[in-house]
Amino acid sequence: MIGYPPLQIRVKTPRLELVGAADEMLAALAPLVRDGKVFAEPAPYDDPMSFYESDPDVRVSRWLQSVWRGRGRFSPSDFRLAFAVLVDGEAVGMQDLIAEKFDSCGTFASFSWLSTDVRGRGLGTEMRSALLHLAFAGLGASEAGSDAFVDNIGSNKVSEALGYERNGLDWDIRRGEPGRIQRWRLTRSAWETRRRNDIELSGVEDFCTFLDHH
């Protein structure tokens, strides 16, 4: 994947770095998926989600397939940027930017997971902050969306801490059962009021050129 702009973006904060999830990064993350360190209770992910596979080998292979599918679908309107989260050089999770109608509406959503080994240290908020800086400061986004099951306290706290506003309730399915979803939105103007000056971006110009040519 040398020279492929969607994988060349890097976002650096004082605490962590987001690095394009090329295959060598996926190889570093695979043991966390294999060992079930992606999971949490209550179940945080909707269906279908490979993280619920009981067989570790099947879980890893289906997770890899889902990442590769996201990488393969690309247009100026809809794309997914998957990042490995590095703390002190160690891969501890993923943070994805999911662009939706981006060329016309500038809207995007986020998805993330973090190893059980490093939860409870504020990294979830820090990695979402990094992604928001990339989207708003780097890519000129207009609005961020997020959602989480109402009992996913961690994800909902991250959204609240970063200034998202509640944006209604919805339903989704997890493990075959319906669950209430809390929706969130963060406008560009709201993000600007708490914009940070300690986050560094690289590879964004090449990516924007790449985006313009597709």
Side-chain angles (χ1 to χ4, degrees):
M1 290 298 171
I2 293 173
Y4 185 57
L7 293 174
Q8 305 303 309
I9 299 171
R10 297 175 83 96
V11 187
K12 188 172 185 178
T13 84
R15 298 194 62 198
L16 54 78
E17 192 169 10
L18 304 186
V19 178
D23 287 353
E24 64 268 22
M25 284 295 162
L26 297 180
L29 290 164
L32 302 178
V33 177
R34 180 181 298 279
D35 295 344
K37 292 185 176 181
V38 177
F39 200 64
E41 287 290 358
Y45 309 115
D46 57 0
D47 292 343
M49 177 56 71
S50 59
F51 294 148
Y52 292 142
E53 294 288 345
S54 57
D55 183 305
D57 291 330
V58 175
R59 185 160 61 237
V60 170
S61 64
R62 292 196 177 172
W63 164 69
L64 287 171
Q65 288 168 357
S66 70
V67 175
W68 289 330
R69 276 196 300 273
R71 186 192 293 172
R73 289 195 301 270
F74 195 94
S75 75
S77 173
D78 301 280
F79 56 88
R80 184 169 187 144
L81 298 176
F83 296 97
V85 180
L86 303 186
V87 176
D88 297 326
E90 179 184 358
V92 297
M94 290 188 75
Q95 177 76 68
D96 293 5
L97 186 158
I98 308 163
E100 303 162 334
K101 306 181 185 71
F102 197 78
D103 56 349
S104 53
C105 299
T107 51
F108 70 98
S110 58
F111 173 81
S112 65
W113 60 265
L114 198 56
S115 170
T116 52
D117 295 338
V118 296
R119 292 178 193 166
R121 291 164 41 183
L123 294 174
T125 303
E126 186 77 355
M127 59 203 241
R128 182 95 67 88
S129 293
L131 192 79
L132 293 175
H133 194 85
L134 167 64
F136 286 120
L139 304 181
S142 302
E143 183 173 299
S146 186
D147 60 54
F149 287 106
V150 294
D151 54 13
N152 186 345
I153 305 300
S155 178
N156 287 309
K157 277 188 173 179
V158 167
S159 296
E160 197 164 28
L162 291 173
Y164 287 71
E165 298 175 346
R166 292 177 186 269
N167 193 29
L169 295 170
D170 207 344
W171 291 95
D172 213 328
I173 305 296
R174 56 179 169 181
R175 290 172 153 179
E177 298 292 331
R180 266 296 199 195
I181 288 275
Q182 176 66 57
R183 301 179 66 87
W184 300 88
R185 68 189 286 264
L186 177 67
T187 63
R188 183 180 187 86
S189 58
W191 171 81
E192 288 280 5
T193 65
R194 54 183 72 212
R195 178 178 181 152
R196 290 171 51 173
N197 60 8
D198 60 351
I199 299 178
E200 301 172 16
L201 302 176
S202 62
V204 174
E205 287 185 15
D206 287 346
F207 173 74
C208 289
T209 300
F210 176 84
L211 202 58
D212 288 341
H213 292 166
H214 281 70

